[in-house]
Amino acid sequence: MAEIVLSGVDKIYSGGVKAVDNLNLEIKDGEFMVLVGPSGCGKSTALRMIAGLEEISAGTLSIGGKVVNDLPPKSRDIAMVFQNYALYPHMTVEQNLAFGLKLRKTPKAEIERRVKEAAAMLGLEPYLKRKPAALSGGQRQRVAMGRAIVREPQAFLMDEPLSNLDAKLRVQMRASLHQLHERLGVTTIYVTHDQVEAMTLGDRVAVLKDGKLQQVDTPKNLFDHPVNLFVAGFIGSPAMNFVNARIEAENGGAVLRFANHVLHVNTESVREHPGLEDYFGREIILGVRPSDFDDAAFASHNGSTMDVVADVTEELGTEINVIFGVDAPPVQHEATAALAADAAGGEEDGEDTALALSGGNKTFFTARVNPRSSVRPGQPVSLTVDTRRLHYFDPSSGLAIGHPDNVKAAV
C-alpha cells in the first residue's frame, strides 16, 4: 500500500489545451479516493498520469514517498482496471488471472496461490476454465479486477470499471467493490462520472471541473457543505434546486423572498453562515435540496411553508418526487450553465446528476416528500422547507456563503 500525492500537477496538450490545472491532491495510505466530474473534466487524464500512461507537464507525483514522474508504468507498482475489461479472449479465466504474473516470472506455486485466493474472493471459482465469451458482463469485470488483485500492487487505479454494466448489476458490483476494499485495504483511486457511485464508494470524493479541483471531502460533507454552486448542483440526486432570492434582516434572523414565496430563517441558522449578514438587502442564489422539503401534512420538522401546484409527481415507493414551477427566471451563472450542459449530455445511467428542470421565465423545483402524501399532478400542495438546511451562494463568484474554506480565503 502507498500514499499518493499530486503537487501542482498540470497536463497541457498541444495547442495549449490544459486538461489538468494545478492539481493538488493527497490520497492517504489505504484510502478509497473517487475522482468525479462531468465528461472532459480531467479525471481520467489525472488517473492516467498517476499510472504513467500520460506524461506530466508540470508538478510532481509521488507514490509511497518516491517521486515517480519519470518512472515507466511497470515500475510504479500499481494495477489498473479499465472500462472495457481488456481480457484475452483466447485464454481461460484462470489463464487471464495468471498471465501478468507469468510475465514477471513469478514462481508457479506463488501464481497458483494468488489466483486461487483472488478467485475465491471474487466468486470466480466455478468459471476458472471458461473463456471470456462464456461470461456475463459482471463476471468479466470481476476477472479484470482479479487480474489486478493477483498483482498485489501498492495501489489500484480504476477508470469507470462499472459503466458498461446494467443498472442492477452496477449496484451489486458497487457492494462487491466496497467489500473488496475493506478486505484488502489497498490504496484505490476510482474515476467515475456517476456521482451516486462516487458517494457510495468513496472514503473521500474529489470533484473536478475543467481540469480544476473544486472540492475534496467525505461524501456527507460534500452533500451537506458544498463549497460552490457547481459542487452543490453536481452532488445529489435529484439535484439541488437553485433560485435568485432577496435576503433581508428579520427579528435577528432573516427572510428570503423569491417569486411569491417567503422563507423565514432563524438567528442560529444565520450565525452558522458567517458573512451572510453582509448580503442583507441584496440578492443571492438560494439552494434547496429536494430532501429538505416535505408534504406539510407529514413534515417532521418546523419550517417555512410553500404553497405550490404539482406539475409532475414521480411515485418511487419509498418517496414521491414532486416537480413544481416557481415564477422566477432560471439562475444565470457559469456554474449552472455547466451543470445544464452536463445534464443535456445524457449520462449513460440516466441518473439526474445535474440541474433541475428550467424553462422560459419559470424555474422547476423538485421536492422529495413522504410516500403517504396524496399529492397528484395539477393539485395544490403545501410543502414545508427545513430552513436550517438552506444553502446560500454569492451570485457573482458562485461560492457558498459561510463555507469554512471560503471564509478562510476571504481573511
PDB file of all heavy atoms in Angstrom, residues 364-385:
ATOM      1  N   PHE A 364     -38.133  25.155 -12.425  1.00  0.00           N
ATOM      2  CA  PHE A 364     -38.814  23.990 -11.870  1.00  0.00           C
ATOM      3  C   PHE A 364     -38.010  23.403 -10.729  1.00  0.00           C
ATOM      4  O   PHE A 364     -36.820  23.122 -10.857  1.00  0.00           O
ATOM      5  CB  PHE A 364     -39.081  22.949 -12.964  1.00  0.00           C
ATOM      6  CG  PHE A 364     -40.185  23.346 -13.888  1.00  0.00           C
ATOM      7  CD1 PHE A 364     -39.919  24.095 -15.025  1.00  0.00           C
ATOM      8  CD2 PHE A 364     -41.501  23.000 -13.609  1.00  0.00           C
ATOM      9  CE1 PHE A 364     -40.940  24.484 -15.873  1.00  0.00           C
ATOM     10  CE2 PHE A 364     -42.527  23.386 -14.457  1.00  0.00           C
ATOM     11  CZ  PHE A 364     -42.248  24.128 -15.590  1.00  0.00           C
ATOM     12  N   PHE A 365     -38.687  23.242  -9.600  1.00  0.00           N
ATOM     13  CA  PHE A 365     -38.100  22.651  -8.404  1.00  0.00           C
ATOM     14  C   PHE A 365     -38.528  21.189  -8.299  1.00  0.00           C
ATOM     15  O   PHE A 365     -39.584  20.800  -8.801  1.00  0.00           O
ATOM     16  CB  PHE A 365     -38.598  23.375  -7.145  1.00  0.00           C
ATOM     17  CG  PHE A 365     -37.787  24.576  -6.746  1.00  0.00           C
ATOM     18  CD1 PHE A 365     -37.130  25.360  -7.675  1.00  0.00           C
ATOM     19  CD2 PHE A 365     -37.695  24.927  -5.401  1.00  0.00           C
ATOM     20  CE1 PHE A 365     -36.399  26.474  -7.293  1.00  0.00           C
ATOM     21  CE2 PHE A 365     -36.967  26.039  -4.997  1.00  0.00           C
ATOM     22  CZ  PHE A 365     -36.321  26.814  -5.945  1.00  0.00           C
ATOM     23  N   THR A 366     -37.686  20.400  -7.600  1.00  0.00           N
ATOM     24  CA  THR A 366     -38.061  19.040  -7.234  1.00  0.00           C
ATOM     25  C   THR A 366     -38.084  18.943  -5.722  1.00  0.00           C
ATOM     26  O   THR A 366     -37.122  19.356  -5.050  1.00  0.00           O
ATOM     27  CB  THR A 366     -37.077  18.008  -7.799  1.00  0.00           C
ATOM     28  OG1 THR A 366     -37.061  18.077  -9.215  1.00  0.00           O
ATOM     29  CG2 THR A 366     -37.472  16.593  -7.386  1.00  0.00           C
ATOM     30  N   ALA A 367     -39.160  18.425  -5.165  1.00  0.00           N
ATOM     31  CA  ALA A 367     -39.282  18.183  -3.726  1.00  0.00           C
ATOM     32  C   ALA A 367     -39.472  16.693  -3.507  1.00  0.00           C
ATOM     33  O   ALA A 367     -40.246  16.043  -4.225  1.00  0.00           O
ATOM     34  CB  ALA A 367     -40.463  18.953  -3.155  1.00  0.00           C
ATOM     35  N   ARG A 368     -38.778  16.157  -2.534  1.00  0.00           N
ATOM     36  CA  ARG A 368     -38.922  14.731  -2.191  1.00  0.00           C
ATOM     37  C   ARG A 368     -39.777  14.643  -0.934  1.00  0.00           C
ATOM     38  O   ARG A 368     -39.377  15.153   0.119  1.00  0.00           O
ATOM     39  CB  ARG A 368     -37.550  14.113  -1.978  1.00  0.00           C
ATOM     40  CG  ARG A 368     -37.579  12.644  -1.630  1.00  0.00           C
ATOM     41  CD  ARG A 368     -36.192  12.029  -1.773  1.00  0.00           C
ATOM     42  NE  ARG A 368     -35.891  11.755  -3.176  1.00  0.00           N
ATOM     43  CZ  ARG A 368     -34.738  11.251  -3.601  1.00  0.00           C
ATOM     44  NH1 ARG A 368     -33.770  10.999  -2.746  1.00  0.00           N
ATOM     45  NH2 ARG A 368     -34.554  11.019  -4.884  1.00  0.00           N
ATOM     46  N   VAL A 369     -40.969  14.030  -1.047  1.00  0.00           N
ATOM     47  CA  VAL A 369     -41.911  14.051   0.068  1.00  0.00           C
ATOM     48  C   VAL A 369     -42.279  12.630   0.509  1.00  0.00           C
ATOM     49  O   VAL A 369     -41.967  11.639  -0.160  1.00  0.00           O
ATOM     50  CB  VAL A 369     -43.195  14.838  -0.303  1.00  0.00           C
ATOM     51  CG1 VAL A 369     -42.836  16.247  -0.759  1.00  0.00           C
ATOM     52  CG2 VAL A 369     -44.011  14.120  -1.366  1.00  0.00           C
ATOM     53  N   ASN A 370     -42.965  12.579   1.637  1.00  0.00           N
ATOM     54  CA  ASN A 370     -43.389  11.327   2.251  1.00  0.00           C
ATOM     55  C   ASN A 370     -44.227  10.493   1.266  1.00  0.00           C
ATOM     56  O   ASN A 370     -45.109  11.027   0.587  1.00  0.00           O
ATOM     57  CB  ASN A 370     -44.216  11.660   3.500  1.00  0.00           C
ATOM     58  CG  ASN A 370     -44.450  10.453   4.384  1.00  0.00           C
ATOM     59  OD1 ASN A 370     -45.103   9.502   3.985  1.00  0.00           O
ATOM     60  ND2 ASN A 370     -43.910  10.499   5.592  1.00  0.00           N
ATOM     61  N   PRO A 371     -43.968   9.195   1.179  1.00  0.00           N
ATOM     62  CA  PRO A 371     -44.705   8.357   0.222  1.00  0.00           C
ATOM     63  C   PRO A 371     -46.195   8.244   0.535  1.00  0.00           C
ATOM     64  O   PRO A 371     -46.983   7.837  -0.326  1.00  0.00           O
ATOM     65  CB  PRO A 371     -44.014   6.987   0.340  1.00  0.00           C
ATOM     66  CG  PRO A 371     -43.390   6.994   1.702  1.00  0.00           C
ATOM     67  CD  PRO A 371     -42.963   8.409   1.938  1.00  0.00           C
ATOM     68  N   ARG A 372     -46.613   8.631   1.755  1.00  0.00           N
ATOM     69  CA  ARG A 372     -48.038   8.595   2.107  1.00  0.00           C
ATOM     70  C   ARG A 372     -48.780   9.846   1.634  1.00  0.00           C
ATOM     71  O   ARG A 372     -49.999   9.937   1.777  1.00  0.00           O
ATOM     72  CB  ARG A 372     -48.191   8.441   3.620  1.00  0.00           C
ATOM     73  CG  ARG A 372     -47.749   7.069   4.149  1.00  0.00           C
ATOM     74  CD  ARG A 372     -47.803   7.031   5.649  1.00  0.00           C
ATOM     75  NE  ARG A 372     -46.795   7.923   6.237  1.00  0.00           N
ATOM     76  CZ  ARG A 372     -46.796   8.319   7.509  1.00  0.00           C
ATOM     77  NH1 ARG A 372     -47.755   7.926   8.321  1.00  0.00           N
ATOM     78  NH2 ARG A 372     -45.843   9.112   7.958  1.00  0.00           N
ATOM     79  N   SER A 373     -48.037  10.814   1.091  1.00  0.00           N
ATOM     80  CA  SER A 373     -48.672  12.031   0.591  1.00  0.00           C
ATOM     81  C   SER A 373     -49.675  11.698  -0.513  1.00  0.00           C
ATOM     82  O   SER A 373     -49.446  10.799  -1.327  1.00  0.00           O
ATOM     83  CB  SER A 373     -47.610  12.986   0.043  1.00  0.00           C
ATOM     84  OG  SER A 373     -48.207  14.083  -0.621  1.00  0.00           O
ATOM     85  N   SER A 374     -50.775  12.446  -0.534  1.00  0.00           N
ATOM     86  CA  SER A 374     -51.805  12.223  -1.554  1.00  0.00           C
ATOM     87  C   SER A 374     -51.648  13.165  -2.741  1.00  0.00           C
ATOM     88  O   SER A 374     -52.557  13.273  -3.581  1.00  0.00           O
ATOM     89  CB  SER A 374     -53.194  12.403  -0.930  1.00  0.00           C
ATOM     90  OG  SER A 374     -53.326  13.715  -0.392  1.00  0.00           O
ATOM     91  N   VAL A 375     -50.519  13.866  -2.826  1.00  0.00           N
ATOM     92  CA  VAL A 375     -50.298  14.842  -3.896  1.00  0.00           C
ATOM     93  C   VAL A 375     -50.389  14.175  -5.266  1.00  0.00           C
ATOM     94  O   VAL A 375     -49.905  13.059  -5.463  1.00  0.00           O
ATOM     95  CB  VAL A 375     -48.935  15.556  -3.726  1.00  0.00           C
ATOM     96  CG1 VAL A 375     -47.769  14.573  -3.800  1.00  0.00           C
ATOM     97  CG2 VAL A 375     -48.761  16.662  -4.769  1.00  0.00           C
ATOM     98  N   ARG A 376     -51.031  14.879  -6.201  1.00  0.00           N
ATOM     99  CA  ARG A 376     -51.181  14.375  -7.562  1.00  0.00           C
ATOM    100  C   ARG A 376     -50.944  15.523  -8.542  1.00  0.00           C
ATOM    101  O   ARG A 376     -51.111  16.698  -8.192  1.00  0.00           O
ATOM    102  CB  ARG A 376     -52.580  13.793  -7.782  1.00  0.00           C
ATOM    103  CG  ARG A 376     -52.872  12.532  -6.975  1.00  0.00           C
ATOM    104  CD  ARG A 376     -52.000  11.359  -7.431  1.00  0.00           C
ATOM    105  NE  ARG A 376     -52.279  10.146  -6.668  1.00  0.00           N
ATOM    106  CZ  ARG A 376     -51.666   9.800  -5.550  1.00  0.00           C
ATOM    107  NH1 ARG A 376     -50.729  10.598  -5.059  1.00  0.00           N
ATOM    108  NH2 ARG A 376     -51.959   8.680  -4.928  1.00  0.00           N
ATOM    109  N   PRO A 377     -50.577  15.225  -9.775  1.00  0.00           N
ATOM    110  CA  PRO A 377     -50.341  16.294 -10.754  1.00  0.00           C
ATOM    111  C   PRO A 377     -51.552  17.204 -10.900  1.00  0.00           C
ATOM    112  O   PRO A 377     -52.697  16.745 -10.931  1.00  0.00           O
ATOM    113  CB  PRO A 377     -50.072  15.519 -12.055  1.00  0.00           C
ATOM    114  CG  PRO A 377     -49.570  14.189 -11.601  1.00  0.00           C
ATOM    115  CD  PRO A 377     -50.310  13.887 -10.333  1.00  0.00           C
ATOM    116  N   GLY A 378     -51.261  18.522 -10.968  1.00  0.00           N
ATOM    117  CA  GLY A 378     -52.322  19.511 -11.139  1.00  0.00           C
ATOM    118  C   GLY A 378     -52.980  19.931  -9.846  1.00  0.00           C
ATOM    119  O   GLY A 378     -53.821  20.834  -9.841  1.00  0.00           O
ATOM    120  N   GLN A 379     -52.615  19.303  -8.728  1.00  0.00           N
ATOM    121  CA  GLN A 379     -53.243  19.617  -7.454  1.00  0.00           C
ATOM    122  C   GLN A 379     -52.343  20.530  -6.614  1.00  0.00           C
ATOM    123  O   GLN A 379     -51.117  20.435  -6.681  1.00  0.00           O
ATOM    124  CB  GLN A 379     -53.524  18.338  -6.662  1.00  0.00           C
ATOM    125  CG  GLN A 379     -54.557  17.421  -7.282  1.00  0.00           C
ATOM    126  CD  GLN A 379     -54.821  16.190  -6.417  1.00  0.00           C
ATOM    127  OE1 GLN A 379     -54.158  15.964  -5.409  1.00  0.00           O
ATOM    128  NE2 GLN A 379     -55.816  15.405  -6.818  1.00  0.00           N
ATOM    129  N   PRO A 380     -52.943  21.400  -5.788  1.00  0.00           N
ATOM    130  CA  PRO A 380     -52.149  22.218  -4.872  1.00  0.00           C
ATOM    131  C   PRO A 380     -51.626  21.383  -3.715  1.00  0.00           C
ATOM    132  O   PRO A 380     -52.255  20.398  -3.323  1.00  0.00           O
ATOM    133  CB  PRO A 380     -53.157  23.270  -4.389  1.00  0.00           C
ATOM    134  CG  PRO A 380     -54.492  22.623  -4.523  1.00  0.00           C
ATOM    135  CD  PRO A 380     -54.388  21.708  -5.713  1.00  0.00           C
ATOM    136  N   VAL A 381     -50.479  21.773  -3.182  1.00  0.00           N
ATOM    137  CA  VAL A 381     -49.902  21.084  -2.032  1.00  0.00           C
ATOM    138  C   VAL A 381     -49.079  22.083  -1.230  1.00  0.00           C
ATOM    139  O   VAL A 381     -48.435  22.966  -1.798  1.00  0.00           O
ATOM    140  CB  VAL A 381     -49.026  19.882  -2.480  1.00  0.00           C
ATOM    141  CG1 VAL A 381     -47.865  20.320  -3.362  1.00  0.00           C
ATOM    142  CG2 VAL A 381     -48.511  19.099  -1.278  1.00  0.00           C
ATOM    143  N   SER A 382     -49.138  21.956   0.084  1.00  0.00           N
ATOM    144  CA  SER A 382     -48.306  22.777   0.968  1.00  0.00           C
ATOM    145  C   SER A 382     -47.051  21.991   1.308  1.00  0.00           C
ATOM    146  O   SER A 382     -47.132  20.863   1.809  1.00  0.00           O
ATOM    147  CB  SER A 382     -49.065  23.126   2.254  1.00  0.00           C
ATOM    148  OG  SER A 382     -50.088  24.046   1.992  1.00  0.00           O
ATOM    149  N   LEU A 383     -45.909  22.588   0.981  1.00  0.00           N
ATOM    150  CA  LEU A 383     -44.622  21.946   1.249  1.00  0.00           C
ATOM    151  C   LEU A 383     -43.899  22.694   2.366  1.00  0.00           C
ATOM    152  O   LEU A 383     -43.802  23.922   2.345  1.00  0.00           O
ATOM    153  CB  LEU A 383     -43.748  21.952  -0.007  1.00  0.00           C
ATOM    154  CG  LEU A 383     -44.288  21.212  -1.224  1.00  0.00           C
ATOM    155  CD1 LEU A 383     -43.362  21.446  -2.420  1.00  0.00           C
ATOM    156  CD2 LEU A 383     -44.427  19.721  -0.943  1.00  0.00           C
ATOM    157  N   THR A 384     -43.395  21.949   3.330  1.00  0.00           N
ATOM    158  CA  THR A 384     -42.583  22.544   4.385  1.00  0.00           C
ATOM    159  C   THR A 384     -41.119  22.470   3.978  1.00  0.00           C
ATOM    160  O   THR A 384     -40.651  21.436   3.488  1.00  0.00           O
ATOM    161  CB  THR A 384     -42.788  21.808   5.717  1.00  0.00           C
ATOM    162  OG1 THR A 384     -44.155  21.918   6.092  1.00  0.00           O
ATOM    163  CG2 THR A 384     -41.935  22.422   6.817  1.00  0.00           C
ATOM    164  N   VAL A 385     -40.404  23.574   4.155  1.00  0.00           N
ATOM    165  CA  VAL A 385     -38.979  23.652   3.836  1.00  0.00           C
ATOM    166  C   VAL A 385     -38.194  23.720   5.147  1.00  0.00           C
ATOM    167  O   VAL A 385     -38.482  24.572   5.994  1.00  0.00           O
ATOM    168  CB  VAL A 385     -38.657  24.905   2.988  1.00  0.00           C
ATOM    169  CG1 VAL A 385     -37.182  24.918   2.602  1.00  0.00           C
ATOM    170  CG2 VAL A 385     -39.536  24.958   1.753  1.00  0.00           C
TER     171      VAL A 385
END
